C-alpha cells in the first residue's frame, strides 16, 4: 500500500493571499524570514487579513536562510507562550521549514531535534494548531510537502525532517509574492524545482499519481525558467505553479541522492567562508547523478522518457540520457551556475578558484559521503551507492569529471 498526501486546501493565483480573511481561529503566529516580505508589504497584508478574520496575531521574524536548530527552539518557545491555533509561515523555504519544525516542538515540548529526524516517525499533530504555508520563492515547494530541512551548524549538516504530519493544512501559492525574487534566487530555486521533478520521476517510489505531476512540472520549467530568470513576469508566475507541482510529486514519490549530497555538502565548508546554496548544489550535482543512475536500466528508461517529453531528440536510450545531461548543463550556463564545487565562488557564481580548497574537500570527503548515504533521500534513489561509489561521485562533483562507474 502507498500513500498520496497533499494539503487540504490550496489557494492559487494572484490575490490568493486574501484567503487568510476566511480562516477560523483565535490566535495566529506568523513566522517570517528576513526583510523582503515586510519590504514589499506582504507581511502587513497577511497580518491585516488574519486580523480581519478576527484573530489576535503575533509575529516571529528573523528566521535565517538555512534555519538552525537554535532558531527552531526559539520559535517553539514563542509559540508555547502565545498558544496559537494557527501557525502561518510566509516567505521562502527557510521560514516555512523552520515553522514546520517549531510546530512539532510546540505540540510536543518534550520532543528533541533527534526525535524529529526519525523518518516518518512523528506523533499526530494538530492537537494545538493548524498550519498554513505561503510561498514567496519558486523552488522548495515546502508549502505542499511532508519535508523540512534544518541545519545543525555544530555538525555542519542539514537534516531533512520527513513525515506526512508536517504537510501543511493550507497552502497559498500567490505568484505576486514570487515576482519580488532577485535574479540569482530565480536561478537557484528554479533548478531546485527541476531537480525535484526529475528525482521524483526516477525515484523507486514513483507511481501513477506522481508521474503526471513530475512530467508536467518539467515541461513547465523547460518552457518558463530561463524567461523568468530574464525578467518575464508571466513566466515567473508560471514557474510558481510549476515548482508547486514538482513539490506535490516529490513529497509523495520522494527524492534521490542529488538531494542527499546537497544536504550534506551545503554547510560542510561554512568555516571556509560560504555555504553551497541548496539550489546551486542540486544544479551542479544533477548531471552527475543522472549519469550514475543511468547505469540502472529502469532509471535510464525513465530519464529517456523525460527527454522525450520535452522533445530533446535522440534515437536510443543512451542518446536521450546524454541529451538530458547536456540540457541540464546548458541550463546551468544560462543561469550562471557553476558546474562543480571547485569553481563555486562565495557569491555562488562560477569562478576559477572556488571557496572550497581541494585539500579540505578531500579531507572531509569520507565523512560527507557516509552522511550522504545515511540521508533520508538515499533510500528511494534508483541505484544504491556504496561508500566508495559515493566518494567517487562527490569527486566528480568537485572536479567536474565524467561519471564512468
Amino acid at each position: 500500500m502507498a500513500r498520496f498526501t497533499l494539503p487540504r486546501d490550496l489557494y492559487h493565483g494572484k490575490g490568493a493571499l486574501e484567503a487568510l480573511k476566511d480562516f477560523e481561529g483565535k490566535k495566529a503566529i506568523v513566522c517570517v524570514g528576513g526583510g523582503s516580505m515586510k519590504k514589499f508589504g506582504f507581511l502587513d497584508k497577511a497580518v491585516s487579513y488574519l486580523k480581519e478574520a478576527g484573530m489576535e496575531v503575533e509575529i516571529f521574524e528573523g528566521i535565517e536562510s538555512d534555519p538552525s536548530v537554535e532558531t527552531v527552539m526559539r520559535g517553539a518557545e514563542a509559540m508555547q507562550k502565545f498558544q496559537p491555533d494557527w501557525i502561518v509561515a510566509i516567505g521562502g523555504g527557510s521560514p516555512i521549514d523552520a515553522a514546520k519544525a517549531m510546530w512539532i516542538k510546540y505540540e510536543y515540548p518534550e520532543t528533541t531535534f533527534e526525535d524529529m529526524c526519525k523518518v516518518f516517525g512523528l506523533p499526530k499533530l494538530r492537537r494545538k494548531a493548524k498550519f498554513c504555508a505561503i510561498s514567496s520563492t519558486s523552488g522548495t515547494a515546502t508549502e505542499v510537502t511532508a519535508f523540512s530541512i534544518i541545519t545543525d551548524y555544530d555538525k555542519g549538516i542539514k537534516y531533512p525532517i520527513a513525515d506526512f504530519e508536517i504537510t501543511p493544512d493550507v497552502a497559498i501559492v500567490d505568484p505576486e509574492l514570487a515576482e519580488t525574487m532577485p535574479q540569482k534566487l530565480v536561478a537557484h530555486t528554479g533548478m531546485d524545482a527541476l531537480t525535484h521533478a526529475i528525482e521524483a520521476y526516477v525515484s523507486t517510489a514513483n507511481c501513477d499519481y506522481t508521474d503526471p505531476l513530475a512530467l508536467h512540472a518539467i515541461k513547465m520549467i523547460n518552457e518558463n525558467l530561463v524567461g523568468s530568470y530574464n525578467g518575464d513576469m508571466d513566466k515567473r508566475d508560471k514557474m510558481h505553479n510549476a515548482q508547486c507541482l514538482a513539490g506535490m510529486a516529490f513529497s509523495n514519490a520522494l527524492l534521490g541522492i542529488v538531494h542527499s549530497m546537497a544536504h550534506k555538502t551545503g554547510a560542510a565548508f561554512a568555516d571556509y567562508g560560504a555555504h553551497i546554496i541548496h539550489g546551486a548544489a542540486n544544479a551542479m550535482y544533477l548531471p552527475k547523478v543522472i549519469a550514475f543512475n543511468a547505469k540502472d536500466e529502469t532509471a535510464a528508461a525513465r530519464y529517456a522518457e523525460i527527454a522525450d517529453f520535452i522533445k530533446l531528440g535522440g534515437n536510443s536510450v543512451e542518446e536521450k540520457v546524454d541529451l538530458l545531461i547536456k540540457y541540464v548543463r546548458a541550463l546551468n550556463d544560462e543561469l550562471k551556475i557553476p558546474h562543480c564545487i571547485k569553481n563555486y565562488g562565495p557569491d555562488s557564481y562560477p569562478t576559477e578558484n572556488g571557496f572550497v580548497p581541494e585539500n579540505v574537500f578531500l579531507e572531509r570527503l569520507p565523512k560527507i559521503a557516509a552522511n550522504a548515504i545515511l540521508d533520508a533521500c538515499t533510500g528511494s534513489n534508483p541505484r544504491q551507492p556504496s561508500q566508495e561509489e559515493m566518494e567517487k561521485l562527490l569527486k566528480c562533483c568537485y572536479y567536474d569529471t565524467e561519471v564512468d562507474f
Side-chain angles (χ1 to χ4, degrees), residues 117-119 157-160 256-257 259-261 263-264 366-380 384-387 390 394:
C117 294
K118 292 171 185 172
V119 178
I157 295 175
K158 293 184 179 182
Y159 288 96
I257 58 172
H259 273 77
S260 303
M261 293 156 65
H263 293 155
K264 298 330 183 200
K367 186 177 180 182
I368 292 169
N371 287 333
I373 288 170
L374 293 173
D375 189 88
C377 295
T378 300
S380 48
Q384 290 298 302
S386 65
Q387 173 74 19
M390 181 60 82
L394 282 161

Side-chain angles (χ1 to χ4, degrees), residues 70-88:
E70 289 74 20
T71 296
V72 167
M73 298 307 165
R74 281 194 302 106
E77 188 178 343
M79 291 177 187
Q80 287 292 348
K81 290 176 182 174
F82 185 59
Q83 291 290 305
D85 47 17
W86 272 103
I87 299 166
V88 177

Side-chain angles (χ1 to χ4, degrees), residues 323-389:
L323 286 167
L324 183 61
I325 291 169
K326 288 177 178 174
Y327 165 75
V328 175
R329 289 179 65 89
L331 267 182
N332 288 345
D333 287 335
E334 289 198 73
L335 302 174
K336 295 183 175 61
I337 297 173
H339 291 295
C340 62
I341 299 170
K342 184 180 178 183
N343 299 134
Y344 183 94
D347 60 357
S348 85
Y349 287 120
T351 183
E352 189 172 341
N353 294 302
F355 76 87
V356 182
E358 182 180 26
N359 64 313
V360 174
F361 172 79
L362 293 173
E363 179 188 328
R364 298 181 185 183
L365 175 61
K367 186 177 180 182
I368 292 169
N371 287 333
I373 288 170
L374 293 173
D375 189 88
C377 295
T378 300
S380 48
N381 194 69
R383 187 180 169 199
Q384 290 298 302
S386 65
Q387 173 74 19
E388 180 186 4
E389 287 170 335

Side-chain angles (χ1 to χ4, degrees), residues 217-282:
I218 292 165
K219 180 175 182 286
M220 290 183 72
I221 293 165
N222 175 50
E223 292 171 350
N224 295 292
L225 175 54
V226 174
S228 172
Y229 176 77
N230 290 321
D232 184 324
M233 288 302 156
D234 182 56
K235 291 183 181 293
R236 182 81 52 89
D237 294 354
K238 288 184 170 65
M239 274 300 302
H240 208 42
N241 287 336
Q243 64 86 31
C244 188
L245 295 174
M248 293 178 186
F250 91 78
S251 186
N252 292 280
L254 308 179
L255 292 165
I257 58 172
V258 177
H259 273 77
S260 303
M261 293 156 65
H263 293 155
K264 298 330 183 200
T265 54
F269 308 103
D271 53 333
Y272 278 81
H275 271 60
I276 301 177
I277 295 168
H278 180 71
N282 284 341

Side-chain angles (χ1 to χ4, degrees), residues 33-34 62-68 71 93-95 149 151 153 158 185 275 277:
I63 297 169
E64 73 274 37
S65 297
D66 302 306
S68 65
T71 296
S94 294
I149 307 298
T151 303
Y153 284 92
K158 293 184 179 182
L185 190 58
H275 271 60
I277 295 168

